[in-house]
Amino acid sequence: MRNTTLCFLIKGDEVCLGLKKRGFGVNRWNGFGGKVGVDENPTNCVRREVKEEIGVNLGDINKVAEITFLFPFADKEKNWDQVVHVYSSDDWTGEPTEGEEMAPRWFSKGSLPYDQMWDDDKIWLPIALEGKKLKAEFSFDKNEKVIDQKMEIVEDFNG
């Protein structure tokens, strides 16, 4: 199972999301991130991906979630199953700028476009945005709707 990353930029009561313009998750709002490289750890990956996708250099980051996503009904060649290391940050330099893959936009935490995001986001993202850390697992049906979930609040991500 591959490791991937996501990062949500936080500015007061606002969250920066990106509209995915191509590839996996196209036309959905999400955080910024991508696949962890062979000689890379999740922390370095999320910094690289955020810089590549929206031109922002992350300062301090906070790991807020570790989520396993399972797609048992997907074409096995797509290999969508993944563990996502989710971070938030209120410390960066530069302004989020649209690139080839993502178009950033600020949203109020209370009015995130959950109907245009992955089905699981409405379940776990509000908890992470409250400052809680969590581990979760979500399984999706062939229409990319959640069919099974497990979630727990954790103190840290060791072990």
Side-chain angles (χ1 to χ4, degrees):
M1 192 171 315
R2 70 178 176 212
N3 283 294
T4 62
T5 61
L6 274 179
C7 186
F8 294 90
L9 301 181
I10 310 293
K11 181 170 61 176
D13 190 44
E14 293 185 311
V15 179
C16 188
L17 300 177
L19 182 63
K20 189 80 176 325
K21 295 166 52 176
R22 66 179 188 199
F24 184 72
V26 68
N27 295 323
R28 287 193 171 113
W29 291 99
N30 206 347
F32 308 97
K35 297 175 196 151
V36 177
V38 174
D39 295 324
E40 194 173 41
N41 63 40
T43 303
N44 292 337
C45 171
V46 78
R47 291 178 182 285
R48 175 184 55 76
E49 288 281 352
V50 168
K51 175 68 174 170
E52 289 174 3
E53 290 182 352
I54 57 170
V56 165
N57 291 304
L58 292 173
D60 291 335
I61 59 175
N62 180 37
K63 187 169 184 179
V64 296
E66 197 170 280
I67 306 174
T68 301
F69 292 109
L70 303 172
F71 296 85
F73 297 98
D75 179 347
K76 293 303 174 199
E77 292 178 9
K78 292 181 179 176
N79 191 25
W80 287 353
D81 294 352
Q82 57 193 284
V83 175
V84 181
H85 303 268
V86 184
Y87 300 86
S88 67
S89 181
D90 62 3
D91 179 27
W92 66 87
T93 56
E95 279 301 313
T97 305
E98 183 170 347
E100 291 180 17
E101 194 168 341
M102 300 288 270
R105 182 170 149 200
W106 291 96
F107 293 89
S108 164
K109 288 181 184 177
S111 61
L112 296 180
Y114 288 115
D115 59 335
Q116 298 171 49
M117 298 171 74
W118 283 97
D119 193 40
D120 60 279
D121 289 344
K122 64 182 175 264
I123 301 167
W124 69 267
L125 187 54
I127 296 167
L129 292 175
E130 287 176 9
K132 296 177 182 166
K133 298 179 185 301
L134 59 101
K135 283 190 177 185
E137 180 179 292
F138 294 95
S139 294
F140 295 85
D141 67 12
K142 63 182 178 182
N143 297 313
E144 299 172 4
K145 297 295 182 189
V146 172
I147 55 172
D148 192 28
Q149 69 184 59
K150 299 173 192 165
M151 191 166 54
E152 67 177 312
I153 306 297
V154 297
E155 293 297 317
D156 60 47
F157 297 97
N158 297 330

